[in-house]
Amino acid sequence: MSKFPKLQIGLVGCGSFGESHLAAFKGIPYVQVTAVTDVVESRARNLATKYGIDQVTRDYRELCSLPQLDAVSVVTTEDQHLGPVLEALRHGKHVFVEKPIATSIEDGERMLEASRKAGRILMPGHLLRFEARYALVKEQLTSGRLGQIVSIFARRNRPKKQGKIYKRTPLVLETAIHDIDTMLWYTGKKVKSVNAFEVALEPGGMADLLWAVLQFEGGAVGVLQTMWLLPDKTEALDDAMQVVTTSGIANVDILHSGLTLWHEEGHEMPDVSYEPRICGSVYGALREELSYFALCALEGRAPVLVTAEDGVNALRVGLAVVESARTGGTVMM
Ligand SMILES: NC(=O)c1ccc[n+]([C@@H]2O[C@H](COP(=O)([O-])OP(=O)(O)OC[C@H]3O[C@@H](n4cnc5c(N)ncnc54)[C@H](O)[C@@H]3O)[C@@H](O)[C@H]2O)c1
């Protein structure tokens, strides 16, 4: 038995990123995941066995009512965050919720209100705030070594096979929401207007590619590029950001990670940024992010690195992008 206090966590949503959470939590010494649930029970059972978790509950209501839990991690599909978030807060648990915080402003605001009322943490999964390169740029901006932001360009491209799964949610809310949050974080300004352009290869289908131009109060311009069009064999994260300021430029390059592996079957450029696996443990931004959440929950202090309001602000801009792409017009915010 450990002599250190451990945060008892329950996990709702045992899909692909739910498993990433479990693998990351396993490496955090002051966390213990003791219950999991999923609407597909076999997924919850499989992960409970794999990660040595005691309890599989029938549904999120039962999980959220477990008295031993201090916190709940919500990793359900994008439009299924509201129910578990509200239920966990109602039972006085701290909550981590994956991005996008919600798929409608109304849901996001209901979550904000519930977390204020419960006096519990509600922290959204804006991972880039915990990625070393993106965080170092923020530090340069805050210290004044980089001047006023003139423009930010962000790229976040994924293979077609991922599009087949994630086209259930508008592209911008699935991928570029990370960059929108980062742009809001870096500039500290509101977005004034949005112009977005989408291409769907299937007539009437969900977008395969998106470009968006955001104009910030104070004049800075943000440009987003994101797509589900990388060839399926692309085993790399095609992510980058360029921040142009009045006294310098910051270039973040996730694609050229500094590690290339050549094998007889081909080559790969593994993730060393977001959730690299080393000896079965998750390192990188995901571990930093979940460690920070768990520490805030254990110590009962509000997270300042990212807040629920940040999650709703990013969602508001994301939905304006959806609206502009749909109507072909400028959305004023
Ligand atoms: N931060 C990141 O970089 C990152 C990366 C991938 C996914 N995500 C986010 O994580 C979330 C989950 O994504 P995923 O890739 O794991 O999707 P997924 O489809 O693999 O898993 C979602 C799981 O939630 C379960 N589920 C849905 N509704 C439920 C409910 N009411 N109760 C219990 N279980 C329910 C589904 O059965 C499924 O197993 C999404 O919000 C996604 O955008 C974030």
Side-chain angles (χ1 to χ4, degrees), residues 12-18 37-40 43 60 75-78 80-81 98-100 125 127 166 168 174 178:
V12 185
C14 294
S16 124
F17 213 54
T37 193
D38 196 290
V39 281
V40 182
R43 288 190 193 150
Y60 70 75
V75 203
T76 47
T77 29
E78 298 72 21
Q80 296 297 316
H81 292 172
E98 263 308 331
K99 51 54 59 174
L127 192 70
Y166 292 106
R168 62 194 184 195
E174 201 58 64
H178 285 299

Side-chain angles (χ1 to χ4, degrees), residues 295-313:
L295 206 55
C296 288
L298 261 182
E299 293 177 350
R301 61 183 160 97
V304 288
L305 290 180
V306 60
T307 65
E309 285 79 3
D310 293 326
V312 175
N313 290 338

Side-chain angles (χ1 to χ4, degrees), residues 152-264:
I152 308 179
F153 167 75
R155 195 178 77 220
R156 190 161 300 275
N157 298 330
R158 293 289 178 272
K160 291 174 185 162
K161 62 186 173 197
Q162 286 192 16
K164 290 196 180 100
I165 302 167
Y166 292 106
K167 274 194 204 171
R168 62 194 184 195
T169 301
L171 173 54
V172 63
L173 299 188
E174 201 58 64
T175 56
I177 191 96
H178 285 299
D179 301 297
I180 291 173
D181 172 63
T182 306
M183 289 181 184
L184 291 169
W185 186 42
Y186 284 180
T187 59
K189 305 270 192 216
K190 289 188 176 154
V191 171
K192 258 187 3 187
S193 68
V194 174
N195 285 88
F197 309 89
E198 280 181 356
V199 181
L201 296 187
E202 243 177 62
M206 295 288 270
D208 293 281
L209 175 143
L210 169 99
W211 282 87
V213 180
L214 317 179
Q215 200 177 17
F216 288 82
E217 284 178 354
V221 175
V223 179
L224 301 163
Q225 182 209 46
T226 184
M227 62 169 94
W228 301 121
L229 285 177
L230 298 184
D232 278 345
K233 290 268 181 222
T234 315
E235 297 297 342
L237 297 160
D238 184 24
D239 300 350
M241 184 172 269
Q242 183 175 64
V243 184
V244 178
T245 78
T246 47
S247 57
I249 292 182
N251 288 305
V252 174
D253 179 2
I254 299 294
L255 173 61
H256 300 100
S257 66
L259 177 63
T260 306
L261 300 173
W262 293 342
H263 302 289
E264 293 298 345

